[in-house]
Amino acid sequence: MNVPIMNVPLKNSQDLSWRYWFTLPIYPYGKRRTIRREVVKDTIWTFEQIQGIFYVVVPIRMTAVKMEQGGLLIYAPVAPTKECISLVNELEAEHGSVKYIILPTISGLEHKVFVGPFARKFPNAEVFVAPNQWSFPLNLPLSWLGFPSQRTQLLPEDSSQAVFADEFDYAILGSIALGPGSFEEVAFFHKRSRTLLVTDSVLSIPEDPPAIAQLDPYPLLFHAKDRASDLVVDNQANRRKGWQRIALFAMYFQPSVLETIPWTQVFTEASQAPDRSKKAYYGLFPFRWKPHWQRSFEALRGDGRLFVAPILQTLILNRAPQETLTWADRVANWDFQRIISCHLHSPIAARSQQFREAFSFLEKHSAVSAGLFNISTYPLPEEDFKLLQDIDKNLNKYGIVPPPKEKV
């Protein structure tokens, strides 16, 4: 789907400034670009920024929906830079003011930190947050976390009681216990446009890097290197190569096609290399890609299929398989034709059956486990889950999180 991109001209670097970057000190820190896209004409827009660690950068996205009653509903705010707010103000001038701001998660710090500052830019908007909010290491009141106390309230457990129930339905997944806190997500369904809004639950990965990641291609080119001394030409092939490796990092942390190098070997190879061009690609975390790394990406992406992120499969949703499947069944009853996720690719052309199939990893007797799958439902390669499974075992061993439950 080709979606038009709209940006206001930048006046100076202050347009990109995010002054509270220290509350979540991750790349790109205090300077954040924003891209606005119109997804459904005069109805739905997305606002994309970038975030990451060690140049493993992925999009983070908020969605604005024009309401029939007038005004805008904002789902999962991003950093309210001057550029971002100018783009929202343009919509307000044509479609009405921001009326509702939604925080659809309780554990996603990369979403939660923006809500208070964003809400202060729109002093007449009501703020609705997912129930069972918590903070770590101290469980503080929302007002202490920057949420406007007079305008912030919990989403009703019964979506029919919400003030915007005529235009939206929603379903709450949670609260899944995770030791020090819990996981919760609220999926929103915009009835008129038949659009499903989700936070982290399902994803799709594009073959080429998203537009927001190409505004500053350095992270893409950094990960396109095979050796530390490589001088990578800035072209679309290398940007694509870097993006696909970033996707593997982001999904698995350490996929099977990544070879880690002992530091003793690092020093030995470095001292024996006749010139810098022979040195392998090393960093704080010494590694190099195996020659067949792209096959792992192709297995992850499929044909642009919908899937649940490996970290959710391995560390979170398997703690509550029945509750998750009940939620997925409810969401799958909505007649949507597209999904907008807060990360990676969006909008995703997908229907309820594809959404429900993404959660089949929680079932003992699904079409996938029975071998009745196609490229969209094929399970992710087991070997790429090894690091996540090791993390899971250690978390269980030390009693940090409860053990996973059996598949349903």
Side-chain angles (χ1 to χ4, degrees):
M1 181 185 298
N2 292 322
V3 182
I5 300 173
M6 296 162 285
N7 258 31
V8 294
L10 293 178
K11 297 179 180 178
N12 53 58
S13 63
Q14 291 303 308
D15 290 352
L16 314 181
S17 177
W18 166 234
R19 61 185 297 188
Y20 300 112
W21 66 268
F22 55 85
T23 60
L24 185 63
I26 59 177
Y27 187 89
Y29 309 107
K31 300 291 182 183
R32 292 175 177 251
R33 289 295 310 268
T34 305
I35 288 180
R36 186 182 77 208
R37 296 171 178 262
E38 186 177 57
V39 177
V40 178
K41 185 171 175 54
D42 294 329
T43 303
I44 295 181
W45 301 262
T46 58
F47 296 72
E48 296 179 0
Q49 296 178 358
I50 207 78
Q51 66 176 23
I53 299 174
F54 296 135
Y55 300 129
V56 178
V57 296
V58 295
I60 181 170
R61 182 179 295 109
M62 84 175 180
T63 305
V65 183
K66 177 185 177 181
M67 305 187 66
E68 290 185 87
Q69 62 181 256
L72 303 170
L73 178 143
I74 302 293
Y75 181 91
V78 293
T81 63
K82 185 177 179 181
E83 180 185 40
C84 177
I85 298 305
S86 295
L87 290 167
V88 176
N89 290 158
E90 286 183 357
L91 297 184
E92 286 190 307
E94 187 172 355
H95 302 291
S97 61
V98 172
K99 295 188 66 174
Y100 306 113
I101 298 170
I102 310 298
L103 172 61
T105 181
I106 65 174
S107 53
L109 188 58
E110 75 274 23
H111 303 290
K112 189 180 296 190
V113 295
F114 301 130
V115 176
F118 190 92
R120 287 195 290 275
K121 300 292 184 180
F122 302 96
N124 295 319
E126 294 184 70
V127 180
F128 289 91
V129 304
N132 307 302
Q133 291 290 327
W134 61 276
S135 59
F136 181 83
L138 298 176
N139 199 8
L140 302 173
L142 287 175
S143 59
W144 289 29
L145 300 175
F147 289 70
S149 58
Q150 301 302 314
R151 296 186 283 132
T152 300
Q153 52 192 303
L154 301 181
L155 283 166
E157 295 283 350
D158 181 356
S159 61
S160 66
Q161 301 302 309
V163 294
F164 37 75
D166 289 345
E167 300 189 45
F168 293 88
D169 199 353
Y170 61 80
I172 302 173
L173 169 60
S175 174
I176 300 174
L178 298 176
S182 54
F183 175 88
E184 189 168 284
E185 176 171 332
V186 187
F188 264 61
F189 174 55
H190 184 233
K191 302 173 186 178
R192 180 162 58 93
S193 70
R194 297 169 63 191
T195 300
L196 176 66
L197 308 179
V198 298
T199 312
D200 304 305
S201 57
V202 290
L203 303 167
S204 179
I205 297 180
E207 182 177 18
D208 290 303
I212 187 66
Q214 301 203 53
L215 294 180
D216 176 9
Y218 181 80
L220 302 175
L221 301 178
F222 178 86
H223 285 284
K225 292 183 177 184
D226 293 313
R227 287 170 294 274
S229 56
D230 282 352
L231 297 176
V232 178
V233 176
D234 184 4
N235 57 37
Q236 197 56 35
N238 281 329
R239 290 188 180 200
R240 182 185 301 114
K241 179 181 180 181
W243 164 250
Q244 293 178 2
R245 289 175 168 182
I246 284 172
L248 288 171
F249 260 129
M251 291 298 99
Y252 298 118
F253 300 166
Q254 186 180 321
S256 61
V257 289
L258 198 71
E259 180 184 8
T260 57
I261 314 297
W263 274 103
T264 53
Q265 184 178 341
V266 172
F267 294 132
T268 300
E269 292 188 11
S271 63
Q272 294 176 352
D275 60 71
R276 289 184 59 82
S277 65
K278 300 294 184 182
K279 293 181 182 179
Y281 171 37
Y282 298 121
L284 294 176
F285 172 54
F287 68 89
R288 58 184 158 217
W289 293 96
K290 297 179 182 179
H292 59 283
W293 67 268
Q294 196 164 17
R295 292 208 299 265
S296 187
F297 174 79
E298 291 168 354
L300 175 66
R301 180 180 180 272
D303 59 351
R305 58 146 165 218
L306 203 64
F307 67 95
V308 175
I311 189 171
L312 291 187
Q313 291 192 30
T314 311
L315 302 177
I316 297 176
L317 299 185
N318 56 351
R319 268 66 187 172
Q322 184 59 68
E323 294 85 345
T324 301
L325 291 172
T326 299
W327 175 81
D329 286 336
R330 180 180 173 189
V331 173
N333 281 327
W334 296 330
D335 183 23
F336 52 85
Q337 63 182 20
R338 72 179 61 82
I339 299 174
I340 298 177
S341 174
C342 287
H343 300 287
L344 296 171
H345 179 60
S346 281
I348 309 162
R351 298 296 184 100
S352 59
Q353 179 181 354
Q354 293 163 284
F355 177 86
R356 182 59 180 79
E357 286 174 346
F359 295 89
S360 59
F361 68 94
L362 293 170
E363 297 175 294
K364 291 180 182 177
H365 305 292
S366 66
V368 174
S369 62
L372 304 175
F373 48 73
N374 55 38
I375 191 65
S376 296
T377 58
Y378 194 93
L380 299 178
E382 182 69 21
E383 61 269 20
D384 285 326
F385 281 79
K386 185 179 185 307
L387 176 63
L388 292 172
Q389 291 169 344
D390 289 344
I391 293 173
D392 183 43
K393 290 176 183 176
N394 285 324
L395 291 175
N396 291 332
K397 177 180 178 181
Y398 294 106
I400 299 174
V401 298
K405 296 181 179 179
E406 290 189 8
K407 293 182 179 182
V408 177

